[in-house]
Amino acid sequence: QEMSNPSTSWPDKIKKVEADLIGLFLSGFYERLNKMGFASGEEFRAAILTARARNITIVLGDRPVNETLKRLQEAIDASGWKQVANFATEYSQDPAAAELSSKFQMLEEGEGATKSDIAMGVEALKQRKTVREVMGSLRKALPELYTALIAERDAYMARSILSTGATKTVAVVGMAHMDGIEAALKGFEPVACDLN
């Protein structure tokens, strides 16, 4: 629709194509995980099913994906593709990330690593301390990217949570967003819960 709009400038059309390509890359990554037997987004599915079963209002509180992709593209343009690539290369050389990557490759090629090996590696990377370290590195190396991908969405999701007006709210968010959302919700007490 935006591409066929004659009033859209060529630079804006190019940015939209670039944002769409980033979206395709991310969806391809999750599709690859799903083909290997990992249920990406399973926590969101469980929350939705539980909310429906208990007649609890569901609020999809994240910023629209197209807006996030557009901001991500702007941040990459501001940072420069070379800096983004350098950060990705540096991060991929982290021993834990490199080991997980090699296990993914072995599983895809049908040799060596088992889904259990990869699941253990993924769980290790999903520790809050590890996520904080990665986010701190991202914020330091690529502040524009961190702002577009994490900080702006933290603020958006915190506003969404507050807009419910509820006295109790269950919010299912990615671990990378927990610190920022909790900081934005001053005066509220986070409580860990198990929906099982």
Side-chain angles (χ1 to χ4, degrees):
Q1 172 183 350
E2 189 176 321
M3 293 297 288
S4 61
N5 183 345
S7 64
T8 304
S9 70
W10 275 107
D12 287 340
K13 289 178 182 181
I14 291 169
K15 282 185 179 179
K16 170 139 179 34
V17 168
E18 289 172 343
D20 289 346
L21 287 173
I22 292 169
L24 283 171
F25 168 78
L26 293 173
S27 65
F29 171 75
Y30 285 111
E31 187 176 312
R32 232 173 93 194
L33 286 176
N34 290 336
K35 283 181 181 176
M36 285 189 250
F38 295 96
S40 55
E42 187 61 31
E43 65 277 15
F44 296 106
R45 184 178 176 278
I48 290 168
L49 292 174
T50 301
R52 286 181 179 160
R54 296 180 182 176
N55 200 27
I56 299 170
T57 301
I58 298 170
V59 176
L60 303 177
D62 200 351
R63 178 169 66 185
V65 69
N66 289 342
E67 189 176 328
T68 297
L69 291 174
K70 180 181 176 206
R71 285 289 300 122
L72 186 56
Q73 178 56 48
E74 292 168 357
I76 290 171
D77 287 345
S79 300
W81 281 99
K82 185 176 180 180
Q83 273 195 263
V84 174
N86 287 344
F87 177 80
T89 300
E90 216 173 273
Y91 178 71
S92 70
Q93 292 171 355
D94 175 85
E99 182 181 349
L100 183 62
S101 178
S102 73
K103 287 181 179 179
F104 270 123
Q105 188 172 358
M106 288 187 326
L107 183 63
E108 279 188 313
E109 294 169 1
E111 55 186 63
T114 65
K115 287 181 184 178
S116 176
D117 290 336
I118 294 175
M120 287 185 348
V122 168
E123 287 307 311
L125 291 174
K126 284 173 37 179
Q127 298 302 313
R128 198 160 181 185
K129 179 182 177 215
T130 306
V131 173
R132 280 185 180 133
E133 289 170 4
V134 172
M135 290 301 104
S137 297
L138 179 63
R139 185 177 336 152
K140 184 177 177 184
L142 299 165
E144 296 90 353
L145 195 69
Y146 175 85
T147 298
L149 193 59
I150 305 297
E152 290 173 3
R153 291 175 59 216
D154 291 350
Y156 192 102
M157 287 185 269
R159 283 191 304 272
S160 295
I161 291 167
L162 290 172
S163 73
T164 66
T167 55
K168 290 184 180 182
T169 303
V170 175
V172 180
V173 300
M175 194 176 297
H177 297 287
M178 290 174 65
D179 288 342
I181 292 171
E182 288 173 1
L185 297 176
K186 292 180 177 83
F188 288 84
E189 182 181 334
V191 177
C193 62
D194 181 8
L195 294 177
N196 292 327

